[in-house]
Amino acid sequence: MSFRCIGIFILLLLGCAKTERPDIVFDDFEKGQFLNWNKQGESFVTPVNIDSIREPIKGVHGKYLAFSNVDGQGESRAQGKLISHKFKINRNYISFFIAGGEHDVRECVNLIIDNKIVKTATGRNDMVLRETVWDVRAFQGQEAIIEVVDAMASPFERSALGFILADNFTFSDKIHHREVVFEDFENGTYSNWQVEGEAFEVPRNRINVYYPISANGFNGEYFAFSFGRTHDKKQGKLTSKPFKINHDYITLLVGGGNHPKRTCVNLLVNDSIVYSVTGNNDGNLRPHQWNVKELKGMTGTIEIVDHYSDGWGHIMVDDIIFMDETQWYMKIWVWAIIFLLGFVGIYVIRRLALKPKSNIKISPEDDEALEKLKSIVSTSEIYLNNECSIQDITTVSNYSEGDIDDLFSKSEYGSLINYLNYLRVEAFKQQLQDPKNEAYTMISIAERCGFSSKTSFYRTFKAITNITPSEYKNSLK
């Protein structure tokens, strides 16, 4: 076998590796405008700057997000809806962050295809933005819209917050985060749990904990703790809301008493305990993991139990997380099989021309119009303005908004915003290499190139280049 053949095969493998499609950031609201959405009602005016919100929001990405509480504080009686522009599903997953009211009809985010809701998500009655990932592989090639719904008049259901928060709608071929935080108690209440007895007053922290030995191993500020002013005497139980088991594992941190069935955390399915774990008679919260692959599709609940009043008669719990198995080993097997098949067929593929292939079908007329539009956007440098909108581009190009959306949806970039971000990344690379800019930080250079925040810059750069800005800068040395 000649070195030429091996070289051709390696190039073919590299070509395959490069076919991975970049993420599409549909909207992260960092422009401060609802560019990709139509508005109904009164509750969504413009994306809200987190600095203007009195109540702290946890898990924030960037500076702006969609927030239906129009006055920025207190209760909101206004209702409304954000309806996205229609888009074609051409990635495997749609991910976003959501917080606010828990009501799967009146406070929710919906994916709609053929006028039917096929996916929905809601908050958990707190101000913690948690990631939701929808698997949309079954809907490839279909047109869809996303709704962000606030239809909750405050008096309608007092058990749910009267607003919704959403951010970072991203389309991707891969799941970036295969972890869902079911409960971390960081809202400082047991609002997501049914409380029985007197042992569980409020989640504890370093300040309000009644404990002669320092608790160790919890994350964040708060954790569930049944040890109060009367120490081990009081008993009680926390019961979670029912949830569908959609992940491979449940991990959690547990400390406190080692009394099976009496100071413990239980997973119940069909009213039967399938997993249970206790502490180790000390103040250390240790990690535990339950394999729930065989329970997928079933409905479960979690109990945190303190039914013991003598020594070490308490339980400590934090960070209940749903997660999936890492699939890195599968990638190794895939590449091994490709490599072996490549050697078997080496004498065939060496006679084939290595021509780039595109899955994008676009007419010659549209292709010509797209190249002209890209040239106008690039040479005008309008993308250097972080507040650049599609209306601005219609002004400099004389293309309609519909034509711009349609042309870029057929391009390799998938959307206008992705092309603008591509130009910004290229501009950043050029300016970073310019000796005149040695005195400037990467963030200040990124801002000159049109990025509105550090978060969006780092995320976009990594998505387009597959390396971080720091790694790129180090590669120039």
Side-chain angles (χ1 to χ4, degrees):
M1 188 175 298
S2 69
F3 286 106
R4 180 185 176 191
C5 294
I6 295 175
I8 291 173
F9 179 63
I10 292 173
L11 288 173
L12 182 62
L13 287 180
L14 290 174
C16 291
K18 291 181 180 178
T19 60
E20 183 177 286
R21 298 177 297 181
D23 293 352
I24 298 173
V25 180
F26 181 74
D27 209 335
D28 59 6
F29 305 108
E30 291 304 302
K31 297 294 182 187
Q33 302 176 59
F34 290 126
L35 298 177
N36 295 321
W37 308 80
N38 297 312
K39 295 183 292 184
Q40 291 183 353
E42 301 176 354
S43 57
F44 296 96
V45 180
T46 60
V48 175
N49 188 317
I50 59 171
D51 294 334
S52 68
I53 302 172
R54 295 185 181 182
E55 185 174 352
I57 303 174
K58 297 182 183 295
V60 172
H61 297 258
K63 276 286 188 182
Y64 290 86
L65 72 163
F67 187 16
S68 66
N69 197 348
V70 294
D71 59 4
Q73 60 179 318
E75 291 187 350
S76 171
R77 297 181 182 275
Q79 300 179 44
K81 186 187 297 184
L82 290 178
I83 304 174
S84 76
H85 296 172
K86 189 174 290 186
F87 60 91
K88 183 172 289 187
I89 297 177
N90 59 3
R91 297 292 189 273
N92 293 331
Y93 303 98
I94 296 176
S95 66
F96 57 95
F97 290 83
I98 186 171
E102 183 175 21
H103 196 292
D104 57 10
V105 174
R106 293 180 175 270
E107 297 289 353
C108 56
V109 175
N110 299 322
L111 178 67
I112 298 177
I113 298 176
D114 291 333
N115 294 318
K116 296 179 181 178
I117 298 175
V118 297
K119 298 281 185 180
T120 191
T122 187
R124 291 176 57 187
N125 283 336
D126 58 27
M127 302 291 279
V128 180
L129 285 158
R130 298 178 176 89
E131 186 177 37
T132 291
V133 180
W134 288 333
D135 186 336
V136 292
R137 286 174 290 185
F139 307 116
Q140 289 292 300
Q142 298 187 52
E143 290 190 331
I145 60 172
I146 294 172
E147 288 184 337
V148 183
V149 179
D150 176 4
M152 184 75 75
S154 296
F156 181 82
E157 185 169 324
R158 296 187 181 278
S159 61
L161 294 179
F163 50 81
I164 194 80
L165 303 89
D167 199 7
N168 282 17
F169 288 87
T170 303
F171 306 158
S172 178
D173 279 333
K174 52 190 178 296
I175 300 179
H176 297 282
H177 305 288
R178 295 298 286 154
E179 296 184 358
V180 174
V181 178
F182 180 72
E183 182 62 86
D184 57 9
F185 303 102
E186 291 304 299
N187 65 359
T189 72
Y190 292 128
S191 60
N192 296 320
W193 299 77
Q194 177 184 337
V195 182
E196 300 177 29
E198 300 178 323
F200 296 95
E201 298 172 351
V202 292
R204 301 297 180 182
N205 58 23
R206 292 289 183 198
I207 298 174
N208 69 4
V209 66
Y210 301 99
Y211 194 50
I213 302 173
S214 292
N216 187 42
F218 63 92
N219 292 319
E221 187 173 358
Y222 293 97
F223 60 102
F225 198 6
S226 64
F227 192 96
R229 291 182 177 87
T230 57
H231 294 224
D232 284 330
K233 298 301 180 183
K234 292 188 176 180
Q235 300 183 21
K237 182 170 69 173
L238 298 177
T239 304
S240 76
K241 297 176 182 178
F243 58 90
K244 183 169 286 188
I245 300 174
N246 292 322
H247 294 75
D248 295 332
Y249 299 99
I250 297 176
T251 66
L252 63 165
L253 300 173
V254 180
N258 183 4
H259 307 290
K261 297 184 179 180
R262 305 185 77 176
T263 56
C264 56
V265 185
N266 302 323
L267 173 65
L268 285 76
V269 175
N270 294 330
D271 297 323
S272 298
I273 297 175
V274 293
Y275 282 107
S276 184
V277 64
T278 70
N280 199 32
N281 284 347
D282 59 25
N284 293 312
L285 284 84
R286 296 179 174 88
H288 297 269
Q289 180 172 276
W290 295 330
N291 186 334
V292 292
K293 294 179 186 176
E294 301 301 321
L295 303 174
K296 281 188 173 180
M298 304 179 75
T299 299
T301 56
I302 292 175
E303 291 180 336
I304 302 175
V305 178
D306 177 357
H307 287 165
Y308 192 75
S309 297
D310 292 330
W312 294 103
H314 58 264
I315 191 75
M316 313 157 73
V317 183
D318 197 16
D319 279 7
I320 302 173
I321 295 173
F322 302 163
M323 61 184 299
D324 283 339
E325 191 168 38
T326 304
Q327 300 293 324
W328 60 268
Y329 58 88
M330 292 298 295
K331 295 181 180 180
I332 292 178
W333 276 109
V334 169
W335 281 107
I337 292 171
I338 291 175
F339 195 76
L340 290 173
L341 289 175
F343 272 99
V344 171
I346 193 74
Y347 291 103
V348 176
I349 64 172
R350 70 178 182 177
R351 289 182 169 85
L352 298 177
L354 299 178
K355 298 179 180 179
K357 297 180 179 180
S358 173
N359 293 325
I360 302 170
K361 295 180 179 180
I362 185 169
S363 68
E365 295 80 8
D366 283 349
D367 186 50
E368 181 180 352
L370 175 63
E371 291 303 317
K372 181 179 178 182
L373 179 57
K374 286 164 57 179
S375 177
I376 293 171
V377 174
S378 176
T379 56
S380 68
E381 296 189 341
I382 194 171
Y383 57 89
L384 297 178
N385 178 1
N386 62 25
E387 296 183 353
C388 167
S389 67
I390 192 170
Q391 290 84 3
D392 297 326
I393 294 174
T394 60
T395 301
V396 300
S397 67
N398 291 325
Y399 283 74
S400 69
E401 291 186 24
D403 287 341
I404 293 172
D405 279 335
D406 182 59
L407 288 172
F408 276 105
S409 69
K410 298 174 182 177
S411 74
E412 60 185 301
Y413 303 98
S415 70
L416 169 63
I417 186 63
N418 283 331
Y419 180 62
L420 296 177
N421 283 334
Y422 164 78
L423 293 176
R424 288 165 181 154
V425 167
E426 291 302 307
F428 170 81
K429 289 180 179 179
Q430 294 177 9
Q431 292 200 29
L432 187 65
Q433 297 178 55
D434 190 336
K436 297 178 182 178
N437 295 324
E438 289 182 356
Y440 295 98
T441 66
M442 289 196 296
I443 299 305
S444 64
I445 295 174
E447 289 175 349
R448 293 209 310 263
C449 294
F451 290 100
S452 57
S453 70
K454 178 180 178 180
T455 302
S456 62
F457 165 57
Y458 272 81
R459 182 183 63 248
T460 302
F461 192 94
K462 180 70 179 293
I464 291 176
T465 66
N466 289 322
I467 59 175
T468 66
S470 298
E471 289 170 341
Y472 177 76
K473 183 177 181 180
N474 291 334
S475 72
L476 301 177
K477 297 179 180 178

